[in-house]
Amino acid sequence: MNLLDQLYEKAKQNPQKVAFPEPGNEKMMQAAYETGRDGYIIPILLGNADEIKALARERGYDESVFTIIDINEETYKNQLIEKYVALPGSLLKAKALNRRMANPLYYAMVMQAVDEADVTFAGIDNTTGDVLLAGQMIIGLKPGISTISSIGLCDIPGFEGSEGSLLAVGDSAVCTNPTAEQLASIAISACDTVKSLLDWEPRCAMVCYSTLGSGQGELIDKVLEGLKIANELRPDLAIDGEFQFDAAISPDVAAKKVNRESKVAGKANVIIWPDLNVGNVGVKLIQQFGHANAYGPMLQGFNKVVCDCSRGAPVSEIKGNVVISAVRAAGQKK
């Protein structure tokens, strides 16, 4: 059973409520319908209820699979607003929030913030910037986290790492040139993500072109400072470095290059790139030459699970990311 099959089974054991603020998109509604019909999630569609129902009938879907929320219906909306403004640290007052909720994306996130939904899933009609802005404003960042980032899961044929063929890598999609503080946030978020999604005990390596002082330069200094911050913020996590990539994942290389005790060296299951150049190229190399399946990117750092899917994604990929998001949300509740 491959990784995605395992996650589908996990989702079915504890279906989560996933809010879809873009149900008019044909691919998005199909993904919501099929994952809901098959028992992996409880799909919530937001917008104009009459229009959503008409589209569902036109596309041949059983409406009973969906929970349909009309964002123009005042009673339920006012209940959500009342609950949201009562939350500690909420940024918006009732009047401003009411205006924002004319947008289904913001409405979905308000539902999520007050536990009426577990995941907000968007990204086809909304840009990544739209999703990130709404998420930061409505959902907020986890305590101690300074930036939104992403993580991907690589299933690499022939790779025999500490988690078999699987390796988590980040950030390969969001943070272009993270500061030391942001690198620390990425590492901490990545550890929390793999723990909630896969039940791993994370062993997180912060990588660059140096292993424990074999090289020098500003890029290395940034990684070292990020490592220091991450360890200070979360001493409960196994985050170590600075390592070259091979020293992070290969026990044989680690035995030669790492001359001190490390819970991570040679057996890392999470890799943190120093910047987006390295991250993007690294993932492409793993895909092209390692023939890996790469799942994600998954946004991380928010208080709750928010997903921004690719506009060009096929329905099969959207469904996979819906299921991954639902499993993450269930894991975060533990």
Side-chain angles (χ1 to χ4, degrees):
M1 185 182 290
N2 65 28
L3 171 64
L4 211 51
D5 289 338
Q6 293 173 36
L7 293 174
Y8 268 87
E9 284 304 308
K10 206 171 181 180
K12 206 164 196 175
Q13 293 167 15
N14 188 10
Q16 299 292 293
K17 295 175 286 186
V18 180
F20 294 88
E22 303 165 337
N25 180 276
E26 188 170 359
K27 291 192 297 183
M28 198 67 90
M29 185 180 279
Q30 182 180 344
Y33 179 72
E34 292 179 4
T35 50
R37 177 198 61 195
D38 296 338
Y40 301 116
I41 67 163
I42 301 164
I44 303 170
L45 307 187
L46 295 98
N48 181 298
D50 291 336
E51 292 177 3
I52 293 171
K53 290 175 182 178
L55 282 173
R57 288 193 294 270
E58 181 182 312
R59 294 166 181 171
Y61 298 145
D62 178 359
E63 288 177 39
S64 67
V65 169
F66 302 124
T67 298
I68 298 174
I69 301 293
D70 193 325
I71 66 170
N72 298 309
E73 196 278 314
E74 292 293 327
T75 302
Y76 182 57
K77 181 167 72 169
N78 289 335
Q79 291 172 2
L80 294 175
I81 291 171
E82 184 178 346
K83 288 181 181 179
Y84 181 83
V85 297
L87 292 174
S90 57
L91 296 177
L92 296 173
K93 301 299 182 185
K95 191 173 181 180
L97 186 61
N98 186 53
R99 288 197 302 268
R100 295 277 183 183
M101 289 174 70
N103 181 334
L105 178 63
Y106 282 81
Y107 196 112
M109 290 191 183
V110 171
M111 287 186 67
Q112 189 179 2
V114 300
D115 296 326
E116 292 286 306
D118 301 304
V119 175
T120 296
F121 195 93
I124 286 189
D125 295 335
N126 291 279
T127 67
T128 297
D130 293 335
V131 176
L132 295 180
L133 180 62
Q136 290 179 77
M137 183 177 293
I138 303 298
I139 302 297
L141 302 186
K142 286 185 176 180
I145 299 300
S146 64
T147 190
I148 298 304
S149 60
S150 75
I151 191 171
L153 279 173
C154 298
D155 192 350
I156 311 165
F159 174 56
E160 296 180 3
S162 61
E163 307 294 343
S165 62
L166 300 178
L167 185 67
V169 298
D171 178 356
S172 305
V174 178
C175 292
T176 305
N177 187 20
T179 63
E181 290 78 8
Q182 289 174 322
L183 274 180
S185 288
I186 294 167
I188 291 167
S189 295
C191 290
D192 288 341
T193 297
V194 298
K195 195 160 190 172
S196 66
L197 180 65
L198 300 165
D199 299 322
W200 289 355
E201 277 304 316
R203 293 180 296 278
C204 177
M206 300 184 74
V207 302
C208 58
Y209 64 85
S210 170
T211 297
L212 301 183
S214 66
Q216 295 181 339
E218 291 181 5
L219 295 177
I220 298 168
D221 293 342
K222 180 178 78 167
V223 171
L224 283 170
E225 181 63 21
L227 173 64
K228 179 184 175 185
I229 295 168
N231 286 333
E232 288 173 352
L233 288 172
R234 291 290 299 275
D236 59 304
L237 297 173
I239 304 174
D240 202 357
E242 89 281 13
F243 299 137
Q244 290 162 292
F245 184 75
D246 54 355
I249 64 168
S250 169
D252 291 340
V253 175
K256 295 175 183 176
K257 292 187 175 183
V258 180
N259 55 6
R260 62 161 171 77
E261 188 174 337
S262 173
K263 295 179 181 178
V264 176
K267 46 187 179 288
N269 51 21
V270 180
I271 298 293
I272 303 302
W273 312 116
D275 59 46
L276 193 56
N277 267 324
V278 178
N280 185 272
V281 172
V283 167
K284 303 298 185 189
L285 287 170
I286 292 170
Q287 286 177 297
Q288 292 298 314
F289 295 109
H291 306 292
N293 289 319
Y295 303 103
M298 294 171 273
L299 294 180
Q300 55 183 18
F302 292 116
N303 274 319
K304 300 190 176 187
V305 178
V306 174
C307 189
D308 171 51
C309 73
S310 169
R311 293 187 183 195
V315 171
S316 59
E317 184 178 316
I318 295 172
K319 287 170 62 178
N321 282 323
V322 168
V323 167
I324 287 171
S325 298
V327 173
R328 284 179 65 199
Q332 284 189 6
K333 294 178 181 179
K334 292 180 182 177

